[in-house]
């Protein structure tokens, strides 16, 4: 089934309206399109839907679902940040994501910029970026606690800037131990993982989340994967799906078509 389940719109940090994304999906031959706006995060309103915007988003996607019935199956999901306090009831599915590490009352963004990562490591971890990564994966290990969580979003998001600007060694024993501990806990939850091509589409990485070595490790332990583009504009719908389905299968990955049903 040709589908994309990780889509942002102008209701959060995307560039297009839900209608523009739906039209592009139809033109691209998709059978299903799942919207996944960023849940409201009270501590950082930069990227997320506002509380009022969340209601408008749900109404708009619901109207589109009627409008496109029979041509394109439209679903209303949410990308729920682990630290978000918003309810997840009523969505068709929930992508569980960690975009921040919480230290006391500070929420340190992991995907905003290399400078933010360095500053976070300096301020709270004595400059030890591996300690920051350990705290990140400890939070990721709890994603299954998000009510209604259907899929684990971009598992190793903290490596977003690590190709262009080396911040840490992904082969470091502490980094490996941190992600493996989180992965083991999540595997017990039975949740599928995203194979998320968003950072490839936007030129940050040459490989999707999770990185190939993590993919192979997860696949060998029975994880299931859902292709997603994390699109913030119509041009990247289903970005790299054929290539990464093929490469993922070569690494042993099994794919699911949808985060629901
Ligand atoms: Zn995300
Ligand atoms: Zn996203």
């Amino acid at each position: 089934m040709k589908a994309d389940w990780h889509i942002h719109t102008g209701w959060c940090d995307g560039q297009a309206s839900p209608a523009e994304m739906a039209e592009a999906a139809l033109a691209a031959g998709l059978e299903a399109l799942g919207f996944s706006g960023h849940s409201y995060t009270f501590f950082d309103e930069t990227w997320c839907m506002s509380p009022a915007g969340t209601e408008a988003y749900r109404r708009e996607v619901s109207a589109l679902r009627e409008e496109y019935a029979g041509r394109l199956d439209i679903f209303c999901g949410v990308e729920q940040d682990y630290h978000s306090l918003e309810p997840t009831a009523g969505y068709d599915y929930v992508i569980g994501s960690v975009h921040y590490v919480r230290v006391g009352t500070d929420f340190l963004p992991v995907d905003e910029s290399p400078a933010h990562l360095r500053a976070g490591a300096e301020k709270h971890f004595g400059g030890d970026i591996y300690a920051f990564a350990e705290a990140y994966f400890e939070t990721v290990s709890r994603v299954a606690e998000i009510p209604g969580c259907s899929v684990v979003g971009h598992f190793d998001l903290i490596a977003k800037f690590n190709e262009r600007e080396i911040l840490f060694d992904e082969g470091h024993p502490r980094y490996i131990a941190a992600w493996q501990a989180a992965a083991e806990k999540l595997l017990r939850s039975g949740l599928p993982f995203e194979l998320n091509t968003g950072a490839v589409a936007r030129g940050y990485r040459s490989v999707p989340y999770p990185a190939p070595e993590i993919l192979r490790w997860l696949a060998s332990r029975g994880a299931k994967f859902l292709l997603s583009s994390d699109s913030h504009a119509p041009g990247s719908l289903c970005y790299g799906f054929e290539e990464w389905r093929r490469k993922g299968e070569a690494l042993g990955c099994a794919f699911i078509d949808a985060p629901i049903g």
Side-chain angles (χ1 to χ4, degrees):
M1 177 163 82
K2 195 168 180 194
D4 201 339
W5 302 93
H6 194 148
I7 300 299
H8 296 285
T9 69
W11 288 112
C12 50
D13 59 342
Q15 290 153 30
S17 68
E20 287 167 329
M21 295 302 272
E23 204 46 46
L26 192 65
L30 270 69
E31 294 159 71
L33 181 67
F35 289 94
S36 58
H38 283 292
S39 63
Y40 178 67
T41 43
F42 65 92
F43 48 86
D44 181 359
E45 299 184 331
T46 321
W47 315 105
C48 61
M49 299 187 286
S50 68
T54 305
E55 295 311 311
Y57 159 79
R58 292 175 73 142
R59 280 196 301 273
E60 202 169 316
V61 172
S62 168
L64 277 178
R65 186 205 306 263
E66 301 304 318
E67 190 184 330
Y68 280 82
R71 296 184 291 159
L72 172 68
D73 288 333
I74 289 181
F75 296 87
C76 187
V78 67
E79 183 178 11
Q80 184 80 2
D81 187 85
Y82 177 77
H83 303 289
S84 179
L85 303 175
E86 299 304 294
T88 58
Y91 290 106
D92 293 323
Y93 65 98
V94 177
I95 299 173
S97 292
V98 174
H99 304 99
Y100 306 86
V101 168
R102 180 179 182 168
V103 183
T105 54
D106 246 5
F107 292 85
L108 314 175
V110 300
D111 62 340
E112 197 157 329
S113 74
H116 277 85
L117 278 175
R118 289 202 184 90
E122 283 303 324
K123 187 173 177 192
H124 291 291
F125 299 99
D128 180 358
I129 192 86
Y130 295 101
F132 194 162
E134 284 160 356
Y136 166 76
F137 281 113
E138 203 283 322
T139 312
V140 171
S141 79
R142 301 171 181 277
V143 155
E145 296 168 13
I146 294 172
C149 188
S150 325
V151 57
V152 179
H154 43 57
F155 176 74
D156 55 347
L157 182 67
I158 195 164
K160 177 174 178 179
F161 305 108
N162 212 36
E163 273 192 35
R164 274 191 187 170
E165 192 156 349
I166 300 301
L167 296 159
F168 51 87
D169 172 10
E170 290 174 51
H172 193 288
R174 284 176 64 196
Y175 185 76
I176 294 173
W179 70 251
Q180 287 187 350
E184 267 170 8
K185 200 164 148 197
L186 289 168
L187 280 167
R188 285 197 292 276
S189 75
L191 287 177
F193 291 74
E194 277 192 316
L195 199 166
N196 178 319
T197 61
V200 185
R202 290 189 274 173
Y204 291 111
R205 284 162 60 100
S206 58
V207 294
Y209 306 112
E213 50 273 36
I214 302 178
L215 269 186
R216 185 187 292 112
W217 191 93
L218 284 168
S220 73
R221 286 159 179 80
K224 298 277 193 293
F225 295 90
L226 178 72
L227 283 159
S228 73
S229 73
D230 212 338
S231 281
H232 289 67
S236 55
L237 280 170
C238 296
Y239 183 88
F241 280 15
E242 282 175 32
E243 176 187 355
W244 284 99
R245 177 183 285 273
R246 204 169 56 240
K247 289 180 175 172
E249 282 171 354
L251 294 168
C253 296
F255 289 92
I256 57 169
D257 284 332
I260 34 185

